[in-house]
Amino acid sequence: MKDLEFEHKRSLSRLEAADQLAALAEAMRHGGSAELELGPGKLSLRIPDELRSELEVEVGDGEVELEFELKWSLAPPAVTSAGTGPQG
């Protein structure tokens, strides 16, 4: 069972999609939290230094589907025996 699942679908212009991706990229570049504008509200996510990614492209039925997925652990970083976290 998932703790939380949120899905938001809407039509965007190419420029709106680019702006949304650029805002996410800028938030990720600076670390900490990313705030995404989603309709009438905002979604705030804490983004760690290490992420896993998956890129998937499907072409068929007259459409192209591009999925870019980012995953990360909610657990705090492991502490090494020297008493410091992972180096990055």
Side-chain angles (χ1 to χ4, degrees):
M1 178 183 214
K2 294 184 179 183
D3 292 335
L4 172 69
E5 184 170 334
F6 176 84
E7 188 172 309
H8 180 74
K9 294 183 181 184
R10 67 182 179 126
S11 294
L12 301 172
S13 70
R14 187 180 66 229
L15 183 58
E16 288 170 324
D19 287 346
Q20 196 171 53
L21 289 170
L24 178 59
E26 189 65 20
M28 291 178 69
R29 181 171 281 108
H30 291 102
S33 291
E35 286 195 358
L36 306 174
E37 300 265 348
L38 300 172
K42 289 184 181 181
L43 176 64
S44 181
L45 295 171
R46 185 195 150 290
I47 301 177
D49 291 337
E50 295 294 322
L51 307 167
R52 296 181 313 277
S53 71
E54 179 180 327
L55 179 64
E56 183 179 330
V57 178
E58 293 180 23
V59 179
D61 297 326
E63 287 189 332
V64 176
E65 181 176 331
L66 170 65
E67 291 184 25
F68 183 65
E69 184 173 284
L70 298 172
K71 293 182 182 182
W72 59 88
S73 175
L74 294 175
V79 176
T80 65
S81 60
T84 61
Q87 300 296 310

